[in-house]
Amino acid sequence: MAFRKDVLTQIPGSYSNFSEHHKDIRSFFEIVGVRFAIREYGVSLKCLAGNKLFSNASGYLLSDDSSYPFYLWLPSWLGRFYVDPLHVPAGTAVDDSRARDVKLLAFIWIWLGFNDAYVSDAAGPECWFGVAEPRPEDPDEPVVITADKIWKYFRIERTSQGESDGWLSGGFQKNAIGCDLNGRWHMRRVPLEQLSSYYAIEKHVIRPLGEKFNELSGALAPIAKTGT
């Protein structure tokens, strides 16, 4: 078997739809960035890694030594991590801040809703968002490295421990393949179809995430606010 005719006939429409989906993702994260620049719910948040999105398809090669198999080239997961810039030491780039400085990481991930080895297929595409308090073995590692570990090794089905007020919660688990995190996480899942307007994004993502981050930040020991 080489090129299947029924697949080829659907490529233009499928590519167009997926392209439009990525435009929606870009618009969504731009809205989030603007809203998080305002300390409306007790906290402002700034993204890590600049304009780069975390992805489960970071490399593409034809052979099997690629970062991921070729059929996962189109990413089924895209996401961002955020920190409170008031916890970043003065004169330090956000990505260069340390885990011990920021303590909390907010995250927002977009998932197509299917074909994941660790999550049962959903009814449709979803937005996962939450707050993590990861504690790596080296508290001085750059926080962007800590975020990458969360992205790679977060396993909801193995680490969930309960649910309260709509928030799933659990703990990180060390493993032999690269995760050295301790600490806790809190997360919600929202169907993307519910995020079809500015109001819906504010109601279902921005406000609950901002309030949860502020709540957890207040529960931690006081942190010196040294810069922006």
Side-chain angles (χ1 to χ4, degrees):
M1 180 180 68
F3 294 104
R4 291 165 288 177
K5 184 176 180 180
D6 59 332
V7 174
L8 291 173
T9 59
Q10 296 178 49
I11 285 177
S14 298
Y15 181 84
S16 177
N17 287 339
F18 205 69
S19 177
E20 292 301 310
H21 175 60
H22 276 260
K23 290 180 182 179
D24 290 347
I25 291 175
R26 176 179 178 179
S27 175
F28 170 77
F29 280 117
E30 287 175 344
I31 292 170
V32 169
V34 170
R35 295 297 297 125
F36 277 158
I38 304 170
R39 191 170 287 269
E40 183 167 348
Y41 301 110
V43 64
S44 68
L45 296 171
K46 189 170 184 178
C47 69
L48 297 175
N51 288 325
K52 178 182 177 181
L53 293 179
F54 287 77
S55 169
N56 68 320
S58 58
Y60 176 71
L61 296 174
L62 189 61
S63 59
D64 287 339
D65 62 351
S66 59
S67 299
Y68 291 90
F70 70 91
Y71 48 82
L72 291 181
W73 183 37
L74 295 176
S76 57
W77 290 90
L78 291 168
R80 272 188 150 178
F81 290 85
Y82 303 82
V83 300
D84 185 340
L86 290 183
H87 295 173
V88 176
T92 301
V94 173
D95 287 1
D96 294 332
S97 58
R98 308 295 165 170
R100 72 162 71 247
D101 295 324
V102 300
K103 289 187 170 27
L104 295 178
L105 282 171
F107 59 89
I108 301 177
W109 302 341
I110 302 298
W111 177 41
L112 285 182
F114 59 89
N115 284 353
D116 189 279
Y118 299 99
V119 189
S120 297
D121 287 357
E126 292 187 344
C127 175
W128 291 24
F129 65 92
V131 182
E133 184 195 350
R135 296 195 297 272
E137 287 186 351
D138 178 9
D140 286 322
E141 74 177 13
V143 70
V144 71
I145 299 299
T146 307
D148 189 59
K149 291 178 181 177
I150 297 174
W151 178 259
K152 289 178 178 176
Y153 304 117
F154 183 83
R155 298 289 182 264
I156 184 173
E157 85 297 342
R158 285 169 44 190
T159 63
S160 294
Q161 297 172 342
E163 181 176 357
S164 177
D165 194 28
W167 289 92
L168 295 167
S169 62
F172 293 104
Q173 293 181 355
K174 294 183 179 180
N175 59 49
I177 61 173
C179 183
D180 66 348
L181 301 178
N182 291 301
R184 302 279 299 169
W185 56 262
H186 304 265
M187 190 192 77
R188 281 185 176 177
R189 298 169 63 171
V190 178
L192 286 190
E193 64 181 16
Q194 293 186 16
L195 306 179
S196 59
S197 68
Y198 295 140
Y199 173 79
I201 294 172
E202 187 78 20
K203 176 182 178 181
H204 295 300
V205 178
I206 303 297
R207 180 172 182 175
L209 183 52
E211 290 178 343
K212 174 59 73 171
F213 195 102
N214 191 41
E215 171 194 334
L216 295 175
S217 182
L220 295 174
I223 307 172
K225 300 184 185 299
T226 53
T228 56

